[in-house]
Amino acid sequence: MHAAPSPGAHAPAGSAAPPRQEYASLDHFLAGIGPRAFRFAELGLRQRDDALDAVQDAMVKMLNYKDRPTTEWTPLFWRILRSRIVDVQRRRTFRLRWLAPPPEREDGGLPDWTDEGPGPARVHEGQEAYARLSEAIARLPARQREAFTLRVLEELDVATTAEVMGCGEGSVKTHLSRARATLQQQLEDWR
């Protein structure tokens, strides 16, 4: 359930930023961004319930900005969500929850897969690939994880990613380069 990509979303690095997409309503925007936002939050927080809460909080906060131009919604939403994730992470650190092992999912399995089209072997391969990638991304330092997720998985341009992360475009490129190198090294044996 993705919003249609904006024209030029796959423009080469160094080119002008693509125009930001306009949406029919805030409900349409939130419906399109919800599943991607949940994946982003779950990778950052590593706990399903906290991820759901963070996304819900970000969506509720977006209601305060419904009068803003629709072209501002995407970076604004990602900034709000990122801020909420950082708040939850800080609260965890304060409570020393980082000393405890990461909690298991209720069902003990991998995230639900909605595409039932492929056969069982293909589904298993996809789940294994997603689990390996998720684990590798989760081991990245926070800024590298954010840069990789926003640039590669969410396909935001460098300028928007820098705006969301609150840093310069050069920093985004550095974090992304380091994340890609680390992921390539971690996943090399799996190819």
Side-chain angles (χ1 to χ4, degrees), residues 105-145:
R105 291 180 61 120
E106 289 178 21
D107 60 1
L110 298 173
D112 297 330
W113 292 83
T114 57
D115 185 9
E116 298 174 1
R122 184 77 174 138
V123 170
H124 177 72
E125 289 173 10
Q127 289 173 335
E128 185 177 329
Y130 181 79
R132 293 276 312 246
L133 180 61
S134 293
E135 289 170 12
I137 291 172
R139 287 192 298 265
L140 290 173
R143 298 295 276 176
Q144 290 180 21
R145 182 175 56 244

Side-chain angles (χ1 to χ4, degrees), residues 10 30 39 117:
H10 301 287
L30 294 175
R39 285 193 304 269

Side-chain angles (χ1 to χ4, degrees), residues 7-21:
H10 301 287
S15 65
R20 294 186 179 159
Q21 182 172 353

Side-chain angles (χ1 to χ4, degrees), residues 45-47 92-93 95-104:
L45 296 172
R46 299 182 186 129
Q47 191 172 28
R92 283 182 182 170
T93 302
R95 293 181 191 162
L96 301 177
R97 284 180 58 184
W98 57 271
L99 292 174
E104 294 291 323

Side-chain angles (χ1 to χ4, degrees), residues 123-190:
V123 170
H124 177 72
E125 289 173 10
Q127 289 173 335
E128 185 177 329
Y130 181 79
R132 293 276 312 246
L133 180 61
S134 293
E135 289 170 12
I137 291 172
R139 287 192 298 265
L140 290 173
R143 298 295 276 176
Q144 290 180 21
R145 182 175 56 244
E146 290 172 357
F148 181 83
T149 305
L150 292 170
R151 283 285 293 132
V152 175
L153 301 180
E154 292 305 320
E155 299 179 353
L156 296 181
D157 60 73
V158 175
T160 304
T161 302
E163 188 178 337
V164 170
M165 292 178 64
C167 63
E169 292 182 20
S171 293
V172 170
K173 292 175 184 178
T174 300
H175 290 310
L176 180 60
S177 174
R178 290 177 181 165
R180 284 181 170 157
T182 301
L183 290 173
Q184 185 176 14
Q185 183 180 15
Q186 289 179 3
L187 300 172
E188 178 114 11
D189 65 319
W190 185 67

Side-chain angles (χ1 to χ4, degrees), residues 39-71:
R39 285 193 304 269
F40 178 75
E42 190 174 35
L43 285 171
L45 296 172
R46 299 182 186 129
Q47 191 172 28
R48 183 178 181 84
D49 291 338
D50 286 348
L52 287 169
D53 289 344
V55 171
Q56 182 177 0
D57 290 348
M59 288 182 169
V60 168
K61 193 163 188 172
M62 276 299 295
L63 296 175
N64 296 327
Y65 301 102
K66 66 182 174 193
D67 295 331
R68 282 273 196 57
T70 60
T71 56

